[in-house]
């Protein structure tokens, strides 16, 4: 929508209908109005709950069809889920930043599910806190790239979970 009035403003300035200083004052005013209004709380709440429901729906869909999928199909599905959420979030970043942030968070959560499901698909009996480490690293990388608060929250939750898992494994033999 801002592009539309920007085009008109440029056209009017070029035609000499308004002065360039007036056009700049209009731009400053409109920028202040966009910042002041922001999104109302029902929209933010709806997007947050929608992201939660989207994640739950994806998990339910995968769980319902998991046994009927071959290992190759399972791994492809896991990779597609992580990729689709992050690509869709990147495509919506310019037009709807809150939705983009939500989709990136769902993508990072899907990364964790993908890490553990890949371990299950290929029957990897490895050190389980390593999966938490990979997930936490993914959240840290996402935070460094995006600077979004959900990525920081995920990284802040997953890092101590990984350390706690390491502690449990290390001391579990002595109990």
């Amino acid at each position: 929508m801002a592009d539309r009035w920007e085009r008109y403003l440029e056209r009017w300035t070029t035609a000499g209908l308004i002065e360039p200083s007036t056009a700049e004052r209009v731009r400053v005013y409109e920028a202040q109005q966009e910042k002041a209004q922001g999104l109302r709380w029902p929209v933010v709440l709806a997007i947050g709950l929608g992201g939660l429901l989207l994640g739950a729906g994806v998990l339910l869909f995968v769980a319902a069809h998991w046994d009927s999928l071959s290992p190759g199909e399972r791994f492809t599905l896991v990779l597609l889920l992580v990729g689709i959420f992050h690509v869709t979030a990147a495509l919506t970043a310019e037009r709807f930043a809150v939705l983009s942030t939500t989709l990136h968070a769902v993508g990072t959560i899907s990364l964790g599910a993908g890490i553990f499901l890949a371990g299950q698909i290929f029957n990897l009996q490895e050190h389980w806190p390593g999966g938490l480490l990979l997930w936490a690293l993914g959240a840290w990388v996402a935070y460094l790239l995006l600077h979004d608060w959900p990525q920081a929250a995920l990284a802040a939750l997953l890092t101590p979970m990984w350390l706690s898992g390491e502690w449990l494994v290390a001391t579990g033999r002595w109990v």
Side-chain angles (χ1 to χ4, degrees), residues 85-86 89-90 99-109 146 148 151:
F85 286 127
H86 284 295
L99 179 63
S100 175
T101 301
T102 302
L103 289 174
H104 275 304
V106 173
T108 303
I109 292 168
L146 301 170
D148 287 338
Q151 303 300 334

Side-chain angles (χ1 to χ4, degrees), residues 14 20 30 35 37 41 53 75 77 80 83-84 90 95 98 108 121 124 127 133 145 160:
T14 305
E30 289 297 331
K35 287 180 186 176
Q37 288 179 350
W41 69 268
L53 290 174
F75 193 65
L77 179 64
L80 280 175
I84 284 172
R95 301 194 55 94
V98 175
T108 303
I121 292 168
L124 300 176
H127 186 68
L133 171 63
L145 291 173

Side-chain angles (χ1 to χ4, degrees), residues 4 18 32 35 69 79 92 105 129 138 143 147 151:
R4 185 174 173 194
I18 60 172
Q32 289 173 347
K35 287 180 186 176
L69 299 174
L79 287 176
T92 61
Y143 173 70
H147 300 288
Q151 303 300 334

